[in-house]
Amino acid sequence: MATVTIAPTRPRRFFELLLLLLALAVGIGGYALTSINRTGALPANLLQHIGILLAISLIAKLGIRFLAPYSDPVILPIAVALTGLGLAMIYRLDQSYQQLDQAIVGMRQLMFVGVAIILAAIVLVLVKDHRRLRSFTYTFGFLSLLLLLLPMVPGLGVETYGARVWIRIAGVSFQPGELVKITLAIFFAGYLVRNRDNLAIGGRKFLGMRLPRARDLGPILVVWLIGILILVLQRDLGTSLLFFGLFVAILYVATNRVSWLVIGFAMFAPAVLVAVQVFPHVANRFHVWLHALDEDVYTQVGGSYQLVQSLFGQASGGLMGTGWGRGYPQLVPLANSDFILSSLAEELGLTGLLAILVLYLILIERGLRTAISVRDGFGKLLATGLSFSLAIQVFVVLGGITRLIPLTGLTAPFLAAGGSSMVSSWLTIALLLRLSDAARRPSAASPAPWNSGIHPSLEAAEASE
């Protein structure tokens, strides 16, 4: 019998370099245009800004070249482009905040970017084979619970805008929930790849759907309870929605049963309605969402002023925007973090916002393509979970600023000011690069199974997938 040999695809590193240079040009161009439009001159520290961004990008590029040479050539440039756009908008807002004697965060955000990329490189060094993570499934599950409980520790947790999701150590604030998106994705992928056969077995049919058996509802009930506890103890609707939606999405991909999506929605929606009746903070979010344009809601403390101002800003931006530095996004509270998409929509217009959303869409698509291509079940579910995590977060943030759904307090990945979000976003990129490297690497060049000769049962399970 004739054997057909398919030549492996060579990594397109030159193509990646061109995209990386284009991504840098986008961020640096926004930084320069802001200063030109506001002062008529280039920023005094432009060369320093360019040098720092080039150094960070060069480190990232070299790291990918040696640590993940077969990785997807599109993922890194898109992450750099989004980060550069975020830095440019934060710098632009800093100029307005400086005139208003408010805190400026641009240099601190640049430092966070450097720290995030260094941590991402460390992940690539430590995780040479993503399948190793599977043996720590329950460790990551325990770590997720620990991180979620940290804000509840007296003296450590900090309440901000009604939600208790921050911790402060030595004067430095951090949001553990940002890391939980990653640790839970690893835990869900490891758990479901072991139990997907049982969860995929159907019971009775209802409205054309094959419902799961009653005894298989345990995992989704446990995760639902965790989501409710987050909603009750931390009063954080966004994080609760993100974690529960992440689990239901991975569960659907693992079992290919639409009934899990229906069950997930049927469980979460009533819980939110109860929370609206019980918790004033959650009720206020819904009241502001439904009655944002009422005068009494607009003028009250904690009312819809922030949301309505962002809507006015987006409307004034129109199709093409006011231009970098020519709008008034600083009138919106938290314009550089929770509402940075609104700030970008005002100065870049609907066209610019759609371009940013396309970048997100391409990044999510490359993650899902990796999930299809990677050879093991755990890798497929992990890539799916990380991609869906980004997708859900972007949807929740965009839905909040456009009044499609209530505001939740989540921030746009890569764009928003804040170290927690930046670190978690780049750690997600590191894992997607590792997974795409495994997916695109020719079989002959793949590393030997990490558990070969050590854990025969796990090796057999891996082979059966």
Side-chain angles (χ1 to χ4, degrees):
M1 181 180 295
T3 301
V4 178
T5 303
I6 301 176
T9 303
R10 295 175 64 88
R12 294 178 290 176
R13 294 299 131 200
F14 181 72
F15 175 66
E16 182 182 55
L17 179 61
L18 291 178
L19 290 179
L20 194 59
L21 292 175
L22 179 61
L24 284 172
V26 169
I28 294 171
Y31 180 74
L33 284 174
T34 292
S35 183
I36 292 173
N37 288 337
R38 292 186 65 84
T39 66
L42 290 171
N45 61 343
L46 178 61
L47 292 179
Q48 178 187 358
H49 187 81
I50 293 174
I52 293 174
L53 288 181
L54 280 176
I56 291 175
S57 300
L58 182 61
I59 293 172
K61 170 64 180 172
L62 291 176
I64 296 301
R65 174 66 181 83
F66 292 103
L67 299 175
Y70 290 90
S71 60
D72 192 309
V74 178
I75 292 177
L76 178 62
I78 289 181
V80 170
L82 289 171
T83 302
L85 284 169
L87 287 172
M89 179 50 69
I90 290 169
Y91 166 74
R92 178 263 173 274
L93 288 166
D94 278 349
Q95 290 184 318
S96 296
Y97 291 155
Q98 193 170 18
Q99 296 174 354
L100 299 172
D101 292 328
Q102 297 181 10
I104 57 176
V105 299
M107 289 305 298
R108 187 176 65 178
Q109 186 68 8
L110 196 57
M111 179 188 68
F112 286 148
V113 172
V115 171
I117 291 180
I118 291 173
L119 292 176
I122 292 174
V123 168
L124 285 175
V125 170
L126 295 178
V127 185
K128 291 184 171 61
D129 187 342
H130 67 274
R131 292 171 293 180
R132 288 187 62 88
L133 298 174
R134 181 177 170 182
S135 63
F136 300 101
T137 295
Y138 292 99
T139 302
F140 279 106
F142 174 77
L143 179 61
S144 300
L145 290 176
L146 179 63
L147 290 171
L148 286 173
L149 291 175
L150 280 180
M152 307 308 302
V153 177
L156 187 64
V158 178
E159 184 171 317
T160 306
Y161 298 105
R164 195 176 182 88
V165 295
W166 293 86
I167 61 173
R168 179 173 290 129
I169 302 175
V172 178
S173 297
F174 190 80
Q175 191 172 351
E178 291 287 348
L179 292 181
V180 178
K181 294 182 297 186
I182 300 173
T183 57
L184 273 184
I186 297 172
F187 169 69
F188 291 157
Y191 175 82
L192 291 175
V193 80
R194 284 189 174 98
N195 299 278
R196 59 185 173 184
D197 291 338
N198 292 331
L199 295 171
I201 296 174
R204 296 180 179 178
K205 268 195 170 185
F206 179 73
L207 297 178
M209 294 182 299
R210 181 72 66 180
L211 298 176
R213 299 174 301 180
R215 62 176 177 270
D216 295 329
L217 293 174
I220 196 171
L221 288 174
V222 171
V223 178
W224 176 76
L225 286 173
I226 293 174
I228 298 305
L229 285 175
I230 295 172
L231 193 59
V232 171
L233 298 178
Q234 299 183 354
R235 299 189 290 275
D236 186 4
L237 176 62
T239 302
S240 178
L241 173 62
L242 176 61
F243 293 161
F244 188 71
L246 172 63
F247 178 72
V248 173
I250 300 179
L251 182 58
Y252 165 69
V253 172
T255 61
N256 197 29
R257 292 205 174 278
V258 179
S259 56
W260 284 116
L261 297 177
V262 177
I263 291 172
F265 177 79
M267 293 174 65
F268 195 77
V272 172
L273 293 178
V274 171
V276 170
Q277 301 297 323
V278 175
F279 303 111
H281 171 67
V282 179
N284 183 62
R285 289 286 178 97
F286 274 79
H287 183 67
V288 167
W289 171 51
L290 294 173
H291 306 283
L293 298 178
D294 292 358
E295 184 178 356
D296 56 336
V297 177
Y298 177 79
T299 55
Q300 73 182 30
V301 177
S304 62
Y305 173 83
Q306 182 184 35
L307 176 60
V308 173
Q309 286 295 108
S310 78
L311 293 174
F312 288 160
Q314 295 171 60
S316 66
L319 184 62
M320 302 305 294
T322 59
W324 282 106
R326 291 178 173 171
Y328 299 93
Q330 70 274 10
L331 298 178
V332 181
L334 302 178
N336 59 4
S337 55
D338 293 17
F339 280 80
I340 195 166
L341 279 180
S342 172
S343 303
L344 289 162
E346 179 176 347
E347 300 208 331
L348 302 183
L350 178 62
T351 303
L353 180 62
L354 288 178
I356 292 172
L357 295 180
V358 167
L359 289 178
Y360 277 125
L361 183 62
I362 295 173
L363 180 59
I364 294 165
E365 184 271 335
R366 303 305 282 205
L368 294 177
R369 176 180 292 190
T370 296
I372 294 173
S373 304
V374 74
R375 299 176 180 88
D376 63 291
F378 172 74
K380 289 179 181 296
L381 292 182
L382 179 56
T384 300
L386 294 173
S387 302
F388 268 105
S389 175
L390 288 172
I392 294 172
Q393 189 167 351
V394 172
F395 168 75
V396 169
V397 173
L398 183 66
I401 68 166
T402 56
R403 207 184 161 200
L404 179 65
I405 60 175
L407 289 171
T408 61
L410 293 180
T411 55
F414 304 103
L415 295 173
S420 309
S421 177
M422 188 61 67
V423 167
S424 69
S425 298
W426 275 96
L427 291 181
T428 300
I429 291 298
L431 290 175
L432 286 177
L433 288 171
R434 173 57 66 213
L435 288 161
S436 66
D437 178 73
R440 297 161 63 89
R441 185 182 294 270
S443 298
S446 299
W450 65 270
N451 54 359
S452 181
I454 300 177
H455 302 289
S457 60
L458 286 180
E459 189 175 2
E462 192 75 14
S464 67
E465 293 171 6

